[in-house]
Amino acid sequence: MSRSGEFCPRCGDAIEADLDARPARPGAEGTRNPDSVLCDGCYFEEFDLVEAPDRIDVRVCSQCGAVHRGNRWVDVGAQDYTDVAVEEVSEALGVHLDATDVSWEVAPEQVDENNIRMHCQFSGVVRGTLVSEEVVVPVKIARQTCERCGRIAGGSYAAIVQIRAEERTPTEEEQERAQETAEAFVAEREATGDRNAFVTEVSEVDEGLDMKISTNQLGQGIAKRIVEQQGGTFEDYETLVTEDSDGNEVYRVTFAVRLPRYRPGEVIDPEDGDGPVLVRSVRGNLKGTRLATGERYEASFEAGDAPDARRLGTREDAQWTTVVAVEDENAVQVLDPETYEAKTISRPDYFDPAADEVPVIKSRAGLHVLPDEGGDEQDG
């Protein structure tokens, strides 16, 4: 076996030439790692394949389950923290640079609710020799409260979204839909990593619904989306609440959403001589269907979603009654659902001449056939 003429400075044994000629790292010709001049015996005597911390502390939020990493809280969506512990340990472990063909596995041992012992098994090839090493890293789960949950618990908010309606109180359905819209909008923001997005409080008041929102930007987005889905308008009002540490004024903004005077499913009479209208949509200009003819109705631009009209009832007020006879293309005879008298009324385009029964609504404007509910334009 050829020799390099050099000897191990620690034990004095001769060093093989092929080891002696090896550079410390790729591309580092002319330089040598001090350990490279040692013989294999002395080298492996103090060799550590894996560098591991004595213990890892994982800070988790006991309320939302977020994990603290670096200088911020991160939502991980974990059901338990075993996977989090595995990930934290994997990132903290270091493998010797001289090792090649490295393979490893981590086996968690749950000691109790807040302690996990991680058994880490590594193997690799160093100086042509297969070496393996096992290290055990304790992981401590420290349960705390993240900034976001602390702000929610403390009732922190920057905006209020008020749900009101023009000349009426919003229905329970409208209020529930507005709250669902707010929660969906917040969820979208959270999905992008925005941990400042949350609804602090929702409260019912005599006039409608109040929602306290974490940021002004979020409040504006929620108000805009509610109007897009349910119609109406919104305005914002600023209120000075305090000054920050730099003396800058801090404002709280109220976004007052005002839903339209009428809602889909209501029957109104614009009193223009053409008879009642079943409201189908209040997004933009009010749109509906004339009950006398079946023709489409749309309020003028000036009237928008609240034309002057009398309320006659809602689709829920409809009653089913018997069709007595179809007189001609303009008239049909039905039974009055209250007096059971046969009455001749207008035959709208949507009337089915083969029908034995039809839904009708009786009001001060008379008796009218309603279209099938499935034909209504959805307002959302």
Side-chain angles (χ1 to χ4, degrees):
M1 182 179 294
S2 60
R3 299 290 181 178
S4 66
E6 293 189 9
F7 298 87
C8 175
R10 183 168 299 175
C11 68
D13 288 348
I15 300 175
E16 295 184 8
D18 56 344
L19 293 178
D20 179 59
R22 181 173 10 195
R25 59 183 183 278
E29 297 182 6
T31 63
R32 182 183 298 170
N33 186 322
D35 288 342
S36 68
V37 299
L38 299 176
C39 66
D40 285 354
C42 293
Y43 179 82
F44 284 117
E45 197 172 293
E46 297 185 2
F47 177 82
D48 288 321
L49 178 63
V50 182
E51 181 179 349
D54 295 333
R55 191 181 84 170
I56 292 179
D57 293 320
V58 179
R59 297 164 57 189
V60 303
C61 178
S62 58
Q63 302 298 317
C64 68
V67 176
H68 192 272
R69 289 176 175 165
N71 60 353
R72 65 192 183 97
W73 290 89
V74 180
D75 292 309
V76 296
Q79 297 299 318
D80 59 60
Y81 294 103
T82 301
D83 291 341
V84 174
V86 170
E87 186 175 350
E88 294 290 331
V89 170
S90 300
E91 293 181 358
L93 296 174
V95 181
H96 200 288
L97 292 175
D98 287 348
T100 59
D101 298 329
V102 177
S103 61
W104 60 281
E105 61 181 17
V106 178
E109 176 191 354
Q110 190 80 41
V111 179
D112 56 38
E113 184 180 3
N114 296 319
N115 291 278
I116 303 172
R117 187 178 289 117
M118 308 299 295
H119 298 268
C120 313
Q121 183 70 45
F122 284 78
S123 65
V125 177
V126 180
R127 289 192 171 189
T129 302
L130 178 64
V131 294
S132 61
E133 185 174 339
E134 181 179 355
V135 294
V136 178
V137 181
V139 178
K140 174 72 173 179
I141 305 297
R143 300 181 186 275
Q144 303 175 353
T145 300
C146 70
E147 297 174 356
R148 179 177 186 269
C149 290
R151 290 178 60 195
I152 295 174
S156 173
Y157 66 98
I160 301 175
V161 177
Q162 296 179 336
I163 309 302
R164 306 290 189 265
E166 190 74 30
E167 297 184 4
R168 64 182 178 90
T169 300
T171 65
E172 183 176 339
E173 180 184 355
E174 289 173 323
Q175 294 180 47
E176 290 177 354
R177 188 177 178 190
Q179 183 174 343
E180 291 172 358
T181 297
E183 292 170 349
F185 192 83
V186 167
E188 291 175 12
R189 298 302 307 163
E190 288 179 327
T192 66
D194 184 0
R195 302 199 82 250
N196 290 321
F198 55 85
V199 177
T200 302
E201 181 183 324
V202 178
S203 57
E204 295 184 11
V205 296
D206 292 340
E207 301 84 5
L209 193 72
D210 286 353
M211 296 183 287
K212 294 180 179 179
I213 310 299
S214 57
T215 68
N216 291 331
Q217 182 181 21
L218 194 66
Q220 183 180 41
I222 290 172
K224 182 178 180 181
R225 181 166 294 187
I226 291 173
V227 169
E228 288 174 350
Q229 293 179 348
Q230 300 196 51
T233 60
F234 77 89
E235 297 179 341
D236 57 89
Y237 308 93
E238 291 185 342
T239 303
L240 178 64
V241 291
T242 187
E243 292 185 353
D244 61 21
S245 57
D246 297 325
N248 298 315
E249 296 179 335
V250 178
Y251 289 88
R252 182 169 289 154
V253 181
T254 297
F255 297 93
V257 176
R258 191 162 293 278
L259 300 178
R261 182 183 307 171
Y262 311 109
R263 57 189 179 89
E266 279 196 275
V267 177
I268 63 174
D269 186 357
E271 298 184 333
D272 55 5
D274 293 329
V277 171
L278 173 66
V279 179
R280 293 186 178 275
S281 173
V282 290
R283 292 175 297 171
N285 287 12
L286 182 145
K287 301 175 182 65
T289 301
R290 291 283 187 183
L291 298 186
T293 62
E295 295 178 349
R296 296 179 64 86
Y297 167 85
E298 182 170 353
S300 66
F301 178 79
E302 293 77 11
D305 58 14
D308 290 331
R310 288 189 305 168
R311 283 189 171 88
L312 300 180
T314 68
R315 178 181 282 282
E316 287 74 24
D317 298 324
Q319 297 174 279
W320 286 84
T321 191
T322 302
V323 176
V324 177
V326 178
E327 297 187 355
D328 55 38
E329 61 181 15
N330 297 316
V332 60
Q333 194 174 83
V334 300
L335 290 183
D336 185 308
E338 295 178 358
T339 65
Y340 299 103
E341 297 179 65
K343 288 189 175 181
T344 299
I345 61 175
S346 298
R347 173 185 169 180
D349 292 343
Y350 50 77
F351 173 78
D352 180 3
D356 294 326
E357 290 186 327
V358 291
V360 297
I361 185 169
K362 187 175 182 180
S363 68
R364 68 184 73 179
L367 194 62
H368 293 86
V369 178
L370 290 177
D372 291 338
E373 190 168 1
D376 284 354
E377 178 183 340
Q378 296 300 312
D379 186 51

